[in-house]
Amino acid sequence: MAPRWRFPRWAGAVPSRWIRGAIWMENRHQEVENRETLEGVGRPRWNIGWKRLSEGEYNCTNAPYSTQFYTRDWMTADEKTAADRQLLLAFAPLHRSALGEACGVVGGVILAAATLVLVLRGGYPEPNLGLLSQFFWGYSISWRGVLIGLFWGWATGFTLGWGFAVVRNAVVWAWLTVIRSRAEMDQYSDFLDHL
Amino acid sequence: MAREDDQFEKAIVLLNAKLLGIVLGILLGTGLFLATNFLVLKGGKNVGAHLGLLANFFPGYRVTFLGSIIGFCYAFVLGFLTGGIIGSVYNKFAKV
């Protein structure tokens, strides 16, 4: 049996306990709200991220950064059915290495291709891409520079893509933290009334 | 409980390669279009001396209004290809 690949916590996955906590808080809030509605007790509605999510604003067609989500192939049909698709879509992290690799490939190919064009044309006047040697050690407009440019383009692209994924995952995590904090505040705002 | 936790940790975002390509294409194309026209409107002795160097990679591109439209097309294609490749490669690596 192939080993199960788990998205590691250190790779930026949103801690599941936060998601579970927010779900619990939302359910709890709904219970309180329903009870208060029945009892005729007025109370400001809790209208933050999870409320919007529960109303279906985040779905496969209007998600801001992706139109799909993916669960591992080896997940059983039962697991896939059980998973809350909207929650997975809303909070699933970007794969850092994958995005870094993708951006790296594009960056490397673009820089190598641009260098190759200049090498083949020849006699290219200054200023040209050779100025990149200020940042990319060993780079020049030459056949050797094509290979070195491929490497530096890949390294730069990888760093940018990886960094983007890290920041994006961190922002999602911070966003969840805020949601959870607000929900907790809301939950216990009337604590003294029950004493 | 543990199973749901497991599911949340397994889920990752997939990119829509075509959509990403179109978005990047529009961004790059619009950026080059605006930059070119900004220099055209600004005027001066040697209009767009540096931006005009893009003609080495984009044949037909000039720092003129017509050139900005040609540049938009080139940049859109470049952005579309870039986004498409990023999306495809990301999805491949993310599924490994």
Side-chain angles (χ1 to χ4, degrees):
Chain A
M1 182 180 170
R4 279 192 162 195
W5 186 93
R6 294 170 66 88
F7 200 90
R9 286 279 167 77
W10 54 262
V14 175
S16 55
R17 63 179 179 278
W18 289 105
I19 300 175
R20 292 192 53 74
I23 295 170
W24 182 85
M25 295 303 290
E26 167 63 7
N27 291 336
R28 174 76 182 130
H29 173 77
Q30 280 297 332
E31 287 171 16
V32 172
E33 196 172 59
N34 292 340
R35 196 183 68 232
E36 287 174 348
T37 304
L38 288 173
E39 294 170 356
V41 180
R43 191 173 130 110
R45 283 177 64 84
W46 180 50
N47 187 22
I48 56 176
W50 280 93
K51 173 62 70 183
R52 297 173 59 203
L53 185 69
S54 65
E55 289 168 359
E57 286 191 19
Y58 293 109
N59 56 41
C60 291
T61 54
N62 66 4
Y65 49 83
S66 171
T67 57
Q68 303 173 49
F69 82 98
Y70 175 71
T71 50
R72 297 289 166 190
D73 283 335
W74 39 261
M75 282 176 77
T76 64
D78 185 34
E79 281 178 320
K80 286 181 179 176
T81 307
D84 185 329
R85 296 176 66 89
Q86 289 184 343
L87 288 176
L88 288 172
L89 174 64
F91 297 108
L94 279 171
H95 195 299
R96 296 195 306 184
S97 306
L99 190 60
E101 195 63 48
C103 292
V105 167
V106 169
V109 168
I110 285 179
L111 186 52
T115 311
L116 191 61
V117 168
L118 296 183
V119 169
L120 293 177
R121 287 172 71 110
Y124 187 71
E126 297 282 346
N128 58 29
L129 279 181
L131 291 174
L132 285 175
S133 62
Q134 299 284 324
F135 306 103
F136 299 161
W137 184 80
Y139 176 77
S140 60
I141 306 297
S142 63
W143 287 103
R144 187 165 161 267
V146 173
L147 291 178
I148 295 173
L150 185 67
F151 166 75
W152 278 113
W154 177 85
T156 307
F158 185 93
T159 306
L160 290 177
W162 186 87
F164 177 84
V166 168
V167 173
R168 183 265 178 195
N169 290 342
V171 168
V172 169
W173 181 84
W175 181 52
L176 268 178
T177 306
V178 170
I179 289 173
R180 193 166 191 271
S181 302
R182 285 182 183 172
E184 283 176 348
M185 292 286 284
D186 186 73
Q187 176 77 12
Y188 298 114
S189 60
D190 57 351
F191 176 72
L192 291 176
D193 296 344
H194 297 287
L195 290 180
Chain B
M1 192 77 79
R3 200 167 137 191
E4 284 180 19
D5 283 352
D6 212 28
Q7 287 172 355
F8 281 123
E9 288 179 10
K10 285 173 200 167
I12 53 169
V13 170
L14 270 196
L15 298 175
N16 185 326
K18 273 188 190 170
L19 192 65
L20 188 61
I22 291 171
V23 169
L24 275 185
I26 290 174
L27 277 178
L28 276 185
T30 308
L32 185 55
F33 179 84
L34 291 177
T36 307
N37 282 314
F38 174 78
L39 292 179
V40 170
L41 291 175
K42 192 178 165 191
K45 271 189 179 177
N46 198 356
V47 178
H50 291 107
L51 197 60
L53 293 172
L54 276 178
N56 286 285
F57 306 107
F58 300 159
Y61 173 76
R62 299 279 182 278
V63 185
T64 60
F65 179 72
L66 182 62
S68 70
I69 295 172
I70 295 171
F72 176 88
C73 296
Y74 275 119
F76 179 84
V77 170
L78 180 66
F80 183 80
L81 290 177
T82 301
I85 293 172
I86 287 178
S88 306
V89 174
Y90 171 85
N91 289 344
K92 283 230 162 84
F93 274 92
K95 287 177 185 176
V96 171

